[in-house]
Amino acid sequence: MQLKDRSDTHLLEWLEWVVTYGLAIVEGTPNRRDQNRRLAERVAFIKKTHFGEEFEVQAKAGASNLAYLATPLQLHSDLLYYEYQPGLNMLHCLVQAAGGEEGKNQFTDCLRLSQILRETQPDVYKILSTTLVDWSDIGAERGDNWFALHRGPVLCEDHSGQFVRVNYSHQQRDSHFTVPLDQVNRWYEALAVFSQALHHPDNTVFLKTKPGEILTFDNLRMLHGRTGYNNGRSERHLIGVYIDNDMVFSRIRVLRDKLRRSPAN
């Protein structure tokens, strides 16, 4: 969609699209470094993480993160080792990989997939929604060292049994798996079913953003990945920011109330 002006109507339309469908692309933004920040700050303040307020996704020497490589990036959610994991992920494309199939984003909607598993394979769903797993990351960025750890199931529910979050990232699954021994094999079997479903053509999509587009998606719901690209032939460069979902829903409520009182907006 295009945010053609600074109207509250278009801002609300974009946010409602993201929270309803999990993903939206904002088109036609100026291809400048400040555009992601400007759009994010119309919603709320940017969530600062150990990557800072903004992070740059591009291949570079001495990479401390898989996102900084040109190799394929497996499906995952960002910062799942945070208790308060950021919700809205915004990636502004400045430079895209040249090859047609290179640098494509991959997405799987785990809200939909969890509903399918609950209905068709309830045993698998129960194992993945009740077995606690350790997710961790040890690293350094901009001179800051961290050791982050979160414990939670792959599929998380609220008190009423509704899906609220997916935890999935092979590279961030901790080497410690503290569950009773008789549960280990059953969990890995359930994870294999889930992983296969994630990549089934009926459940996953590929898309490639163009320079000037901002790819926005719900990081608690959508797993994302990326095909590899030849960094020797072309550079791929994205600017990313996060916003907490609490702030997103707050802005939606404020805008709805404002527009109800000002129908001419």
Side-chain angles (χ1 to χ4, degrees):
M1 64 177 57
Q2 290 188 337
L3 297 182
K4 298 179 181 179
D5 52 44
R6 293 183 56 84
S7 77
D8 289 337
T9 301
H10 285 102
L11 183 63
L12 177 60
E13 180 185 15
W14 162 55
L15 292 175
E16 289 183 329
W17 188 279
V18 175
V19 300
T20 301
Y21 299 105
L23 183 152
I25 297 177
V26 178
E27 302 173 332
T29 63
N31 196 22
R32 302 197 307 265
R33 292 181 60 95
D34 66 335
Q35 293 305 295
N36 213 12
R37 173 178 288 275
R38 291 185 64 185
L39 178 57
E41 289 180 345
R42 290 188 62 192
V43 180
F45 50 85
I46 292 171
K47 182 180 181 70
K48 189 173 183 178
T49 71
H50 50 246
F51 295 105
E53 288 195 341
E54 296 177 325
F55 55 94
E56 302 195 36
V57 183
Q58 59 184 156
K60 55 187 178 183
S64 60
N65 189 291
L66 290 176
Y68 303 153
L69 299 174
T71 54
L73 189 60
Q74 295 179 340
L75 285 171
H76 66 284
S77 54
D78 282 1
L79 305 178
L80 74 169
Y81 39 81
Y82 277 27
E83 180 75 19
Y84 300 104
Q85 184 184 14
L88 182 62
N89 194 334
M90 301 174 59
L91 297 172
H92 184 199
C93 179
L94 297 179
V95 182
Q96 184 55 275
E101 296 301 314
E102 297 182 1
K104 277 190 171 183
N105 291 98
Q106 180 183 6
F107 287 96
T108 298
D109 183 357
C110 288
L111 169 60
R112 176 180 181 274
L113 189 54
S114 69
Q115 293 170 339
I116 293 174
L117 286 177
R118 187 200 292 264
E119 294 172 2
T120 63
Q121 301 187 72
D123 292 343
V124 169
Y125 178 87
K126 182 176 181 180
I127 291 170
L128 294 178
S129 61
T130 59
T131 305
L132 296 178
V133 182
D134 291 333
W135 311 95
S136 67
D137 192 48
I138 301 174
E141 185 84 9
R142 304 174 185 178
D144 178 40
N145 296 290
W146 71 83
F147 185 161
L149 178 65
H150 171 70
R151 187 166 167 79
V154 172
L155 300 174
C156 301
E157 300 177 335
D158 62 14
H159 64 279
S160 62
Q162 299 301 308
F163 171 91
V164 293
R165 167 174 171 171
V166 59
N167 291 314
Y168 185 89
S169 178
H170 286 308
Q171 55 265 33
Q172 266 83 47
R173 184 155 54 85
D174 198 83
S175 58
H176 291 84
F177 190 27
T178 50
V179 299
L181 190 59
D182 61 355
Q183 296 180 18
V184 173
N185 285 344
R186 292 191 299 118
W187 184 84
Y188 274 103
E189 290 167 356
L191 183 67
V193 171
F194 182 69
S195 297
Q196 185 175 20
L198 289 176
H199 296 86
H200 192 281
D202 290 344
N203 300 323
T204 193
V205 296
F206 291 86
L207 56 90
K208 187 169 182 176
T209 53
K210 299 185 290 289
E213 293 182 338
I214 302 178
L215 178 61
T216 61
F217 59 93
D218 186 342
N219 184 54
L220 304 182
R221 166 181 173 180
M222 307 291 290
L223 293 181
H224 65 287
R226 183 202 64 223
T227 61
Y229 58 97
N230 186 340
N231 195 51
R233 184 172 62 234
S234 63
E235 180 184 5
R236 182 177 186 269
H237 188 188
L238 310 177
I239 301 292
V241 300
Y242 299 114
I243 302 176
D244 280 326
N245 269 0
D246 283 339
M247 299 297 100
V248 172
F249 284 105
S250 172
R251 180 58 59 199
I252 287 174
R253 296 183 192 104
V254 168
L255 289 172
R256 285 175 175 171
D257 182 64
K258 179 180 178 181
L259 292 172
R260 277 198 299 270
R261 291 184 286 105
S262 304
N265 186 290

